[in-house]
Amino acid sequence: MDAYDAGSAARHGPDEEPQDAPTAVAAPPSPEPRTGVAALSLRYQIGAALALAVVAIAVCVHIGMVFLHVAPSNTVTKQHGKAIDDWIYPEFEQNWKLFAPNPLQQNIAVQVRAQVSAADGGTRTTGWYDLSAQDGRAIDGNLLPSHTQQNELRRAWDFFLATHDAQNRPVGLRGALSETYLRHIVQLRLDRANAAGDGGVVERVQVRSRTTNVSPPQWSEEQVSDKPTYRVLPWWWVPKDGTGGPGVTDAAAVAEGGAR
């Protein structure tokens, strides 16, 4: 044993430690395969970058055009209003305003009355039925009001106003359609209220709107009239079968109707 130790010391020297056996060198990890755009060749990478740039520019231009369309009148919209309108209409039309410096400050109620042929052969005219007030009572306190209660009558009246002039004459091809739509709605409301009574028949209907200004707050110095204004439409004949086009108006009804 001593001879073995001596021989080992002689090979390494008196002050040298025995050296460990050499370790194996680990091979470098293989690179992960490229994915996505990086996997494309340089030519296709340039093409993809250009396509993304074009899409980003188009999105920015579209957002800017929509913003200018709904924004209040300014220098840019005054100088380039036609270009903005050409971009927006008709595909991206906006029916609301981002900023409303003067929102609607009126209450508009749609009302209807009917001329009824009674069972005894006489005729009578009913009082005005406030259809908007009926919808308001149905919505008040209702956690889940129907779309019909909220929007049917209001949208029908807006549709009529958009397709008629101040003398209640139709403008464009949709004027007759708006009259038919509005007449059907008021007919259903009158039938629901049994306006004709037992044995009676509704011969004609007349629609009007009652507009009142909303009172300004106490701190405002604005002065508005508290008197309601009316827009009275001509009498419309109701078709016997309940279908057909817009109600026919007679000469006396046209003279009586109109904006007041």
Side-chain angles (χ1 to χ4, degrees):
M1 179 63 73
D2 293 339
Y4 176 80
D5 293 339
S8 176
R11 289 193 302 269
H12 297 285
D15 297 331
E16 294 181 5
E17 295 292 334
Q19 297 181 357
D20 297 334
T23 58
V25 178
S30 59
E32 297 182 357
R34 295 183 297 177
T35 60
V37 178
L40 302 175
S41 63
L42 179 61
R43 182 177 60 181
Y44 288 105
Q45 288 182 5
I46 295 175
L50 290 176
L52 292 175
V54 170
V55 172
I57 293 173
V59 171
C60 293
V61 170
H62 177 70
I63 293 176
M65 288 292 190
V66 174
F67 176 82
L68 292 173
H69 176 67
V70 300
S73 179
N74 53 70
T75 304
V76 177
T77 56
K78 291 178 180 179
Q79 293 182 353
H80 306 286
K82 186 178 185 303
I84 296 173
D85 290 341
D86 292 342
W87 181 277
I88 293 296
Y89 295 105
E91 290 84 2
F92 309 112
E93 180 181 0
Q94 303 291 321
N95 291 323
W96 51 272
K97 294 296 183 181
L98 180 62
F99 304 103
N102 189 24
L104 182 64
Q105 299 178 359
Q106 296 175 328
N107 290 322
I108 302 176
V110 179
Q111 303 172 341
V112 63
R113 65 177 178 176
Q115 188 177 78
V116 178
S117 293
D120 58 3
T123 60
R124 62 181 178 88
T125 302
T126 67
W128 290 101
Y129 290 84
D130 195 332
L131 306 183
S132 297
Q134 294 175 4
D135 287 345
R137 288 192 295 269
I139 295 172
D140 190 21
N142 189 349
L143 297 179
L144 298 173
S146 69
H147 178 77
T148 300
Q149 294 169 338
Q150 297 180 82
N151 298 317
E152 181 186 54
L153 182 64
R154 178 180 60 84
R155 294 297 299 272
W157 183 249
D158 291 343
F159 184 26
F160 180 88
L161 296 181
T163 55
H164 287 73
D165 59 17
Q167 286 72 40
N168 302 317
R169 293 174 300 195
V171 178
L173 300 178
R174 299 202 303 168
L177 176 62
S178 67
E179 292 181 8
T180 302
Y181 182 50
L182 182 59
R183 179 173 55 80
H184 283 175
I185 292 176
V186 299
Q187 282 182 250
L188 291 175
R189 299 293 186 91
L190 291 172
D191 291 342
R192 191 182 306 167
N194 193 23
D198 296 337
V201 177
V202 174
E203 297 287 346
R204 299 191 303 172
V205 295
Q206 187 177 34
V207 181
R208 75 176 183 182
S209 67
R210 182 179 187 270
T211 304
T212 55
N213 294 316
V214 177
S215 300
Q218 297 181 353
W219 47 263
S220 175
E221 298 180 355
E222 183 181 3
Q223 300 293 329
V224 297
S225 174
D226 57 354
K227 296 181 179 179
T229 58
Y230 295 89
R231 177 168 180 165
V232 184
L233 307 188
W235 284 95
W236 290 338
W237 288 100
V238 176
K240 297 300 182 182
D241 57 355
T243 61
V248 181
T249 58
D250 56 20
V254 173
E256 180 184 354
R260 290 186 181 178

